Each structure stands twice: as C-alpha cells, then as structure tokens.
Amino acid sequence: MRGLMQDFPLLVHRVLDHAARWHGETQILSRSVEGPFHRTDYAGVSRRARALASAAGRRLGLRMGSVIATMAWNSWRHLEIWYGLMGLGAIVHTLNPRLFTEQLAYIVNHADDQWIFIDLSFVPLFEALQEKLPRVKGFVIMTDEAHMPASTSLRNPVCYESLIAEGDEGFTWPEFDENTACGLCYTSGTTGNPKGVLYSHRSNVLHGLMCALGDAMALSSRDVAMPVVPMFHANAWSIAFSAPLSGAALVMPGPKLDGKSLYEMLEVGRVSITAAVPTVWLMLLQYLEQNPALRLPHLERVVIGGSACPESIMRAFVENYESDVIHAWGMTEMSPIGSLGVQSGRAAQLPPEAWWRLKLKQGRPPFMVDMKITDDEGNTLPHDGKTFGRLKVKGPGVAKSYYKGEGLSAFDAEGWFDTGDVATIDEYGYMHITDRSKDVIKSGGEWISSIALENAALGCAGVAEAAAIGLPHPKWDERPLLVIVRKEGSAVTREEILTHLEGKVAKWWMPDDVAFVAEIPHTATGKISKMELRERFKDYRFS
Amino acid sequence: MRGLMQDFPLLVHRVLDHAARWHGETQILSRSVEGPFHRTDYAGVSRRARALASAAGRRLGLRMGSVIATMAWNSWRHLEIWYGLMGLGAIVHTLNPRLFTEQLAYIVNHADDQWIFIDLSFVPLFEALQEKLPRVKGFVIMTDEAHMPASTSLRNPVCYESLIAEGDEGFTWPEFDENTACGLCYTSGTTGNPKGVLYSHRSNVLHGLMCALGDAMALSSRDVAMPVVPMFHANAWSIAFSAPLSGAALVMPGPKLDGKSLYEMLEVGRVSITAAVPTVWLMLLQYLEQNPALRLPHLERVVIGGSACPESIMRAFVENYESDVIHAWGMTEMSPIGSLGVQSGRAAQLPPEAWWRLKLKQGRPPFMVDMKITDDEGNTLPHDGKTFGRLKVKGPGVAKSYYKGEGLSAFDAEGWFDTGDVATIDEYGYMHITDRSKDVIKSGGEWISSIALENAALGCAGVAEAAAIGLPHPKWDERPLLVIVRKEGSAVTREEILTHLEGKVAKWWMPDDVAFVAEIPHTATGKISKMELRERFKDYRFS
C-alpha cells in the first residue's frame, strides 16, 4: 500500500524558490571578476535564474537534457546558471580550469557540451582551445556589455547580461522527475581518462539537506557561508544548495583566493562558516601572521577537506583565532561529502587532548552516508581505530556508475562504492584515511600504510621528501621500499633512516630497503605519483 | 536523462540503522508504565526492533501492508514497534486514548487493524471495547511475563517481551519502495467521522530531516530530546525520527505527564530540547513556582505547539529559566510540523521587544513546506502581517488525500492543502493564526477574526468566557455576535463590553450585539464549539 502524501519532487530549483520566498532579502555578496564587490539577494538570484532559463531556452536552444558547461569562479552569476539551467532540466557540467588542456578538450567532447559559460578570466584559454571543441555551439561570456572583450575569436560569443535582459523573470519552472540529471563533474583519476559523475536533482537536494544537519555544517539562517571550495570542483561541498535551503547568506570569493583577499571577504561579509582545502587556509594564516593585529571575530567554523589537514593549521584556527575547525572528507563521486569531524555527543565527554586525536581524523558519516571498511574479500572489519581496510560507501548522494558506463568496477554487487581509500574507524565512529588502496603495501596478508612510513621518514634529519611503495617479494607478496630525496647538502644514509624509524612504526613495517633519488615524480595536482615510481622500480629486487 | 546516483530509498528503518551503527551507545531513557526508569540505547532498540519484526511476521502473521494499531505512551517499546513493524513494511496506526470510545471503535474498524499493541494502562479500555472490534485478531500487551495481568478477557493476549524473545535479532529488513505506507493517524474533526492520514516512509524521513534543520529544531548528537508530545498523536512532532537521524539521545516520559514527573525526567535525563502543548508546560511551570529552588540547567529549547501558546508561558521559560521557546504550528495532515518560530537571521537584527512580537506568532516554514495565504477565490494575499486569508500548504510531508478517499475537498487542483486555518504572514515571514476558516466572520467581503474579538472581550472586567460567531445579515452577509458568560456575581452589561472593545478592534469589527449565556459549549478537546453555538443562535436576527 502506498502512503497518501503529496508528490513533491526534490528538485534543486525548489531550494532557490524557498530561499527567494522566505529568505528573499538575505544577502549574496560576491567579488566580481571585473573587480568590484557585487551585492544581490536570493530574490534577485531567483528572478535572474528564471530570466536566464527562459532566454537560454529561446536563444541558445537549451531544453530538458541539454548539456552545457561552465568554467567560472564562485559568484552570483555562477549560482544563477546552476539554478536557472538545472531548473530548465538541463545539465550543468562544471569545468576545472586547473585541468590540463588535453583533459579539458576530452571531457567537453565526451560530455557533448553544447554551450560553455565562461568568466572573463577564461576567454584566452577557450580562444586557444576551441579548435579542439568542434561541437560546442558557442560561448556565453559571464559579464556585461561594458566589459565584453573588444574583440574575440571565440565562436558565437554571447554577453551573459544581455542574455539575462532578454529573459522573462516570470518564467515557470517545468515539473519533472527528481531523478533527472542536473550536474556533471569529471574526476581526474591517475590512470585513464577522466570519468564523469552525473548528479541528479534528488541527489543534490538530499546531499544538501545532509550537509546542513547539526552533525555536519549545522547551517541556519543566522549563518553567512563562504564556499572558497569552488563550484567548478566537487559541487562546492554542497554549499550552493545547503546554504539557500537553510536560509544562510552567501559570500562568493570570485577569482581572488590569496590570504589578503579572503581575509577581506571574511570581514566585509561577516562570514560565520567557510570551507576550503588546507593550502587555502595556509595562505590565510600566513597573511594573518604577517598582520598580527587582525582577528576573525565573525568566523565560527572552518570546514577543511580535500586532503588531510595538518594539525598546525587546525590548531591555529582553534587556539589563535577561536574559530572551530571541522575536518571533512569526500569525493566527487559522493557529491562530495562523506564524513565530517564534528564533535559527537559521546566525543564531547572526552578530555581535550583525547578529543584532538579524534578531531584530526576525517570524521563521521552523517545520516544518508553508509560507510564500512572491509578486507580484500569484502569482510567487514571492526571499528577499533587500528584495523585498516578498504573504505566503502553507500547513499543517495553516492554515484552508482560513471557517465556513459565507464569505470563500473568501483561499484560492487551490493551497491557499495569502493572509494579507493584505505581507512580505520575508531570506537567513536571517527574515520581516518591511512592510505590509497592502490598504494597500501600488502605484506604477508597484512597491510602497511605507505603514508605512515613516509610521515615517519620525513621526521629524519636530511630527508627532503619520502615515498614508500610496495614491490614484489617472493615470500611476503610485497615489501616496502622507501624512496628518499635528500635535502640539499645532506648525506643521510640508509642506516640512519632505518634507525630513525625504529619504534615509530611496527617492526614488520620496516622498509626492506632505502633508495635515494634526485627527484620524486608528481601528478598534476601535486601528489606523489606512486604509479610512476613503481614503474621506475619495477626491475628492483630485494636482496 | 536520469542521474547516475545510487538508489537509496528513504525508509524509516534506515534512520534506526544509522543511529544503531553510528550512535549505538546513545541513551534512550524511559519511564516505564510498570514504574521504574528503563535505559537502553539505539543499538539495543535496533536489535529488538529486528527481533520484533521477525516474530511479528511468524507469530502474528504480519507482512507488507498489514495494519496494526498501538495505544501506548512514549517509551522504548513504542519506538521498537514503530521501527520494527514499519521496517517489515507494515503500517502502524496510532490510537489516541483521549478519543471517545465510539471514535476509537470507528477508526479501528475503518483501518482494519489486525492486532493492537497496548500498554498495561489500556487493558481495561480494550476489555470493554473489544466486542465492537470483531476483526481485531488479538492484543499484544507491552510488558513482560511478570507484569502480565493475572487474568484478562482480552482476545488472544500476547506478552510483548515473550514475542521479542522469540524473534531473530539478525533479521534483515526487506527492501521496498520509499512511497510505501508506514503510519496511519486519524484526525478527529469537529464534523463527521475521523479521517485517516496515511504517512509513507519517504514522508516521514523527509519530514524528520526537515525538523532537524537549523531553523527548525536544530538537532544534533549533543542533544537529548524529550518528546512529551505523544507518539499516539501527530507523530510526536517527528522527534521519533528526527532525533535518531541526528544522533540525539531520547528521553521518553511514559505515562506520567504531571509537572513533578516531567521535571524529574528533564533533570535525570539532562534533556536539552523538549516539546509539548501549552497545558503541559503550564503544569511544569506551576510545579516550578511551588518549588522556587528548582532550576532547568540543561534545558536549552522548548518547542510549544498544538494550540496558541500564551505569552506568559513563553516569557516564564525565557526570562525565569533561560530556556528558549520555539512556538510551532502543524497538523496531523502535515506530519505534523508546518512552521516554527525560530529567530531568522533577519529577525535577529530586531530590538528584543520587536522580536517578541514575532516570537509569539506561529513561525516560519522550513524548506520542504510551501505556504501561502489566499482569499476565497484563491488569489495569493500579501505578506504584510495584516491581511488575513486561508492558510494553504504543500510539501512532501503534507497529505494529498485521506485514507480510503475521504474528505478530498481539502485538496485543490494544484495540490495545495487548505489547512482550515486563517492566518497572516508578516514581512519577516512569520505566520500568525488568526482564526479557523469556518469561524472567521465574513462581513461585506472582509474578514473579521472571531479569536481577536474574543481575546479583546476577555479583557473586560466581569467577562468569564467569550465566543464570537458570525450570523447571517441581510446587508453584510454576516455580522459578529458576541456570546458572553459573566463571571460569578458580575452584572457586566452589553454597553460596558462594547465600550471596552472601542479602540481595541477596528470599528467595523464591533459586534452588532452581545448575548449573555450561562454556559458556552465545548468540544471533547476543550475548544469552544462554534458549530454548536451557531446552531443554538440560528434563529437569532440582528435588530
């Protein structure tokens, strides 16, 4: 028997409708690409999103299922495009300007993007790239007539503000199924071509609700939220949805992400919650250190994720600036939030330093993320904070496959998505990423964390950089090789390093050998390329 | 094009699964019907809910779509029944012990309840009533063998704890569509038979998420929530769902709802948030006044709804006990929450007394409640805090029809549910109930609030009770008649009352006449029966 409750599809534009009707005067402050601050509110964004939807239908030919791309900073205009075009039933494909141009060309063509909406910053990039994008009909330049480039070789350049001006602010959203696709973001894996994650209206709304909850970002209409994490990557950690559904004001930092500019946005906007990767916060903290009179009186919580956050950064916010820090973890495939290090009711009973040990981990899953760790055979492992296993997740915000059917092997028969991370979960439910599963070293049926070995080695005087990789071993399957770049002028030896490791890692984790190299290879995003290292050492044999 | 995100149906037992896995040791403290306090946790409730589901399938023959009833206080056992039987795909019909026995018999038969789960308190009631319930197979008595009645005439009496003991704690929930019905609650309207609202898994989960949000109850795992509002009426205002999905601890007050007993639960349980109707809080405050040494150190927020809360109660909590008060409004047809008087970011800018004027209203709708006021022709009316109109709502937690197709007239072609209330909405979005639409007095195309007239009249010395009703008028359609019960010994006159009203209500609202009566009729729930009054005065003619 079915319940007799209303059919109210979870469509993302209903989020904006709610914000416009009940938080209409709540401010959206942006730093524009053109330079000045720009102020609007949810009612204004709603009117212009509708105008855009109607004009995009008429002039650009967009309709249900059309795919368009954006390459844009966080701004009110990018919000309008998300809501306006998703509301039309189109799919917004966000492009990350940090991708290599080959990857950009690949994903634009793979996604069949019809139009690309770009900030002024990216006009030169696409002037150079458009030859490789033969099916793109044209480019909407996100500025007004006064700021349009005097001349551009871009195919069919359209001025965004002129497009909006043609539109109808009274446009009525179409109604459609909540499982309709609305967003597309490619992950740039270390192997093979980038793979697309196709978000639905339902997944974005449920994930937005989840992120607003009390053990996640605890958003309310008293908050001012600044997503520094870009809309062009990993969905701005839901904030473009979770803030308006909570009635929180928004501060959009635009293109300037240096410490001084972010400080200015935090203060002018009276930001209460913000979110970004550790390197962004490092720049902010350096700026603050250089200007010791500056404080952060409005900032209550800083969400940090994307990579493990150094303790020093977390301590600086908490101890020097009285802003709490929430360590978070996620993936593009998870919309992206998977866990947050908010203090649970149980953890609140711990003494401060014991709590800090949990706080440094990647946190707990909120309702609507199921999470488990398993061994290679899929057996669930205990939550003891020591045993580490493959981290697998489920939920309405988790992908079930990649766009156009690629990369299906990440999803098992029971629907668990294998994150590719290796993690522990402790008795308080805090998850800690210990390695990537392809980098973990499998020795005699047990796992050795390459990251733990590297961190221990980095503490040895004379070591500039360290990488641990597993290499084939006749008896133990794999054993660790530690690859070291010496600091300039250092002559640190194999024996000194191994002695340094003693007592810091389990005896059976001790590397079988140490190799010294002049340089360790890195990926485009700055991570150590273990794949390349393993290739380089493929003929190495432990003696 | 459909998104490629996981199919993760919103099933209520997933809420308990989450709580059991990630907040397993979080406490559920109950006052048992047998007397002593009882302590368990989410892991315990989850194990027993699964055991119950398996035993109920085997021994009671329950399966997908079976309808069972409960008449029970708020306790861990009632929680187990909700989750266990909803998780089985059955429908839990909650019975309100305050209903007349004729109404109870009607709804049990109308719903075709197969089994009834009852607390010990209600054994005598059903011993007397069971003859009128020929299709009920038997009764599960919610106690252990030691407390089972020595003898009972109840048909097929089953001991709840013995049933659980037969069950399998490893029972696996079936998977089914999220729109499957899971709960049934009848509203007792003032006219006609009670009508059933059939909740779905989806509606309960979405409504629970909504109630947990920052501008609603702002629940987190640091909270201890005590729903005094019963699970047998209006879904315990979502708390049986919103607390576990937030990881909040629960305190269940059982059968004792007097001031002293509630105070004891608040203190022993260290309750941070609680919810009930105004009369409950009046009893608590009276108890506290009698014991001036007592404080409420743990209590942070008190949700008050069900009927308009007097300012004195709200002020007492805020000013004497430093507990914030959230005025809320809802209906059985809304799962039940429709609005909450949480301070919005904009309202936080107001001076304290201006904010108090908003705080006394019934609040703002959270995301997933759409709300509007309209005139009789359906035209939307402005949010000016003055214009009042029919209050209509939409949302995934709002009914689209009643059980077995009854009472369809409340739902219009666009899916808006007419609440039967008349309200204003102010520029800050705060909704204020001014009347019931059947009681509002329609004079010359304008509406007069009967409640406003009554409240003004109650301020006149000598007036014990006042009721305003609209009676037919040849020129104005309707005009107000004020019906007054004098205080004992008072000889207050028509003229004195009308003089008192001058300046307190608009000139054209002034009652055309005042009638004095010995007694005003009331409904079963203590409200003035305007229907009966109108019937009594149906031959009255304004002179």
Side-chain angles (χ1 to χ4, degrees), chain B residues 250-525:
Chain B
L250 276 172
V251 173
M252 305 299 254
K256 291 197 175 173
L257 305 181
D258 60 286
K260 181 170 188 294
S261 301
L262 287 184
Y263 175 77
E264 189 182 19
M265 293 305 282
L266 288 169
E267 285 307 291
V268 174
R270 305 173 77 90
V271 171
S272 65
I273 177 167
T274 180
V277 295
T279 48
V280 163
W281 300 126
L282 195 60
M283 290 190 296
L284 176 70
L285 290 169
Q286 282 168 350
Y287 174 74
L288 292 171
E289 269 173 43
Q290 289 154 12
N291 297 275
L294 302 182
R295 312 304 305 157
L296 298 170
H298 311 294
L299 190 62
E300 295 166 10
R301 350 199 248 301
V302 182
V303 186
I304 308 185
S307 60
C309 184
E311 181 169 354
S312 56
I313 292 181
M314 293 175 69
R315 294 258 185 195
F317 277 113
V318 173
E319 295 170 2
N320 305 345
Y321 297 98
E322 288 163 6
S323 301
D324 195 17
V325 165
I326 301 169
H327 205 185
W329 167 84
M331 297 177 75
T332 301
E333 290 89 338
M334 301 186 71
S335 295
I337 298 294
S339 63
L340 302 103
V342 171
Q343 193 173 43
S344 70
R346 260 186 87 209
Q349 313 299 320
L350 290 169
E353 282 307 308
W355 160 236
W356 263 104
R357 285 193 293 278
L358 302 190
K359 193 178 178 73
L360 294 172
K361 303 184 180 188
Q362 275 80 8
R364 295 160 46 85
F367 175 58
M368 297 196 288
V369 173
D370 279 356
M371 181 180 277
K372 66 177 180 181
I373 47 175
T374 76
D375 60 21
D376 277 341
E377 284 71 46
N379 303 305
T380 299
L381 298 172
H383 291 194
D384 60 11
K386 289 174 198 147
T387 310
F388 50 95
R390 289 171 172 276
L391 182 65
K392 295 177 180 177
V393 292
K394 249 188 191 177
V398 180
K400 68 178 172 189
S401 67
Y402 292 107
Y403 194 40
K404 303 191 177 175
E406 289 165 11
L408 285 167
S409 64
F411 307 94
D412 76 12
E414 286 166 8
W416 290 92
F417 170 65
D418 188 331
T419 63
D421 279 323
V422 168
T424 60
I425 300 175
D426 66 31
E427 57 166 329
Y428 290 87
Y430 287 78
M431 183 273 288
H432 180 54
I433 305 276
T434 53
D435 216 337
R436 292 290 295 166
S437 57
K438 62 186 184 333
D439 296 334
V440 79
I441 298 156
K442 296 179 179 178
S443 171
E446 303 280 346
W447 293 5
I448 298 170
S449 163
S450 65
I451 293 174
L453 285 181
E454 291 157 9
N455 287 343
L458 284 172
C460 179
V463 171
E465 196 169 10
I469 53 173
L471 292 180
H473 187 284
K475 181 168 173 195
W476 301 106
D477 295 336
E478 285 187 351
R479 287 296 300 160
L481 172 73
L482 191 59
V483 184
I484 295 291
V485 179
R486 288 194 184 95
K487 277 188 183 160
E488 221 178 294
S490 160
V492 63
T493 65
R494 177 185 190 281
E495 286 64 35
E496 283 165 350
I497 292 170
L498 293 178
T499 306
H500 172 82
L501 293 183
E502 275 173 23
K504 295 189 178 64
V505 299
K507 265 195 184 155
W508 62 274
W509 284 29
M510 199 58 79
D512 279 29
D513 202 357
V514 179
F516 292 93
V517 296
E519 199 185 351
I520 282 176
H522 292 90
T523 66
T525 56

Side-chain angles (χ1 to χ4, degrees), chain A residues 1 3-6 8 21-23 178-179 181 198 202 215 221-222 343-345 364 371 395 398 400 415, chain B residues 1 3-4 6 8 21-23 178-179 181 198 202 215 221-222 343 345 364 371 395 397-398 400 415:
Chain A
M1 198 185 321
L4 292 170
M5 306 306 283
Q6 292 189 0
F8 183 101
R21 177 172 266 202
W22 299 100
H23 305 275
E178 67 188 24
N179 291 300
L198 192 65
R202 174 182 166 103
D215 276 33
S221 71
R222 277 88 60 211
Q343 193 174 41
S344 71
R364 295 160 46 86
M371 181 180 278
V398 180
K400 69 178 171 190
Chain B
M1 198 185 321
L4 291 170
Q6 292 189 359
F8 183 102
R21 177 171 266 202
W22 299 101
H23 306 274
E178 68 187 24
N179 291 300
L198 192 65
R202 173 182 167 103
D215 276 32
S221 71
R222 277 89 59 212
Q343 193 173 43
R364 295 160 46 85
M371 181 180 277
V398 180
K400 68 178 172 189

Side-chain angles (χ1 to χ4, degrees), chain A residues 275-352:
Chain A
V277 295
T279 48
V280 164
W281 300 127
L282 195 60
M283 290 191 294
L284 175 70
L285 290 169
Q286 283 168 349
Y287 174 74
L288 291 171
E289 268 173 43
Q290 290 154 11
N291 298 273
L294 301 182
R295 312 303 306 157
L296 297 170
H298 310 293
L299 191 62
E300 296 166 10
R301 352 200 244 300
V302 182
V303 186
I304 308 185
S307 59
C309 184
E311 182 168 353
S312 56
I313 291 180
M314 292 174 69
R315 294 259 185 195
F317 277 113
V318 173
E319 294 170 3
N320 305 344
Y321 297 99
E322 290 165 4
S323 301
D324 196 17
V325 165
I326 301 170
H327 205 186
W329 167 84
M331 297 178 75
T332 301
E333 290 89 338
M334 300 187 72
S335 296
I337 297 295
S339 62
L340 303 102
V342 171
Q343 193 174 41
S344 71
R346 260 187 88 208
Q349 313 298 321
L350 291 169

Side-chain angles (χ1 to χ4, degrees), chain B residues 26-235:
Chain B
T26 295
Q27 185 164 274
I28 299 166
L29 169 72
S30 305
R31 187 192 295 277
S32 69
V33 172
E34 296 88 346
F37 284 152
H38 175 274
R39 290 174 197 273
T40 179
D41 56 26
Y42 283 120
V45 165
S46 172
R47 283 191 301 272
R48 284 166 50 94
R50 287 169 191 264
L52 174 64
S54 83
R58 283 201 296 257
R59 177 141 165 216
L60 308 184
L62 301 185
R63 49 188 49 84
M64 284 287 301
S66 298
V67 184
I68 65 97
T70 61
M71 186 181 282
W73 304 106
N74 293 3
S75 75
W76 80 104
R77 289 189 181 120
H78 205 173
L79 264 188
E80 290 161 4
I81 294 167
W82 275 29
Y83 280 102
L85 300 187
M86 292 181 191
L88 192 61
I91 297 161
V92 177
H93 171 200
T94 47
L95 299 175
N96 185 342
R98 291 169 197 149
L99 291 180
F100 297 117
T101 54
E102 292 73 22
Q103 288 178 311
L104 278 175
Y106 172 83
I107 67 177
V108 168
N109 290 323
H110 187 266
D112 258 325
D113 296 331
Q114 295 188 24
W115 286 83
I116 306 187
F117 288 66
I118 58 175
D119 267 334
L120 277 171
S121 331
F122 306 117
V123 169
L125 191 159
F126 283 100
E127 285 176 338
L129 194 63
Q130 65 177 345
E131 296 248 322
K132 295 186 182 154
L133 313 174
R135 296 196 304 281
V136 171
K137 292 177 187 164
F139 296 84
V140 180
I141 303 177
M142 294 164 62
T143 191
D144 54 19
E145 287 292 351
H147 290 85
M148 280 290 279
S151 74
T152 173
S153 62
L154 280 180
R155 194 182 308 148
N156 294 326
V158 173
C159 171
Y160 179 82
E161 289 296 334
S162 305
L163 190 63
I164 293 255
E166 290 171 20
D168 171 13
E169 292 185 349
F171 176 79
T172 306
W173 305 123
E175 282 279 318
F176 44 79
D177 187 282
E178 68 187 24
N179 291 300
T180 302
C182 69
L184 178 60
C185 186
Y186 281 73
T187 62
S188 50
T190 44
T191 58
N193 282 317
K195 294 185 284 288
V197 178
L198 192 65
Y199 305 113
S200 68
H201 284 261
R202 173 182 167 103
S203 71
N204 275 341
V205 173
L206 289 177
H207 178 263
L209 280 164
M210 180 186 98
C211 290
L213 291 175
D215 276 32
M217 299 189 199
L219 293 171
S220 82
S221 71
R222 277 89 59 212
D223 275 312
V224 181
M226 177 167 83
V228 180
V229 53
M231 293 170 75
F232 61 65
H233 183 60
N235 246 338

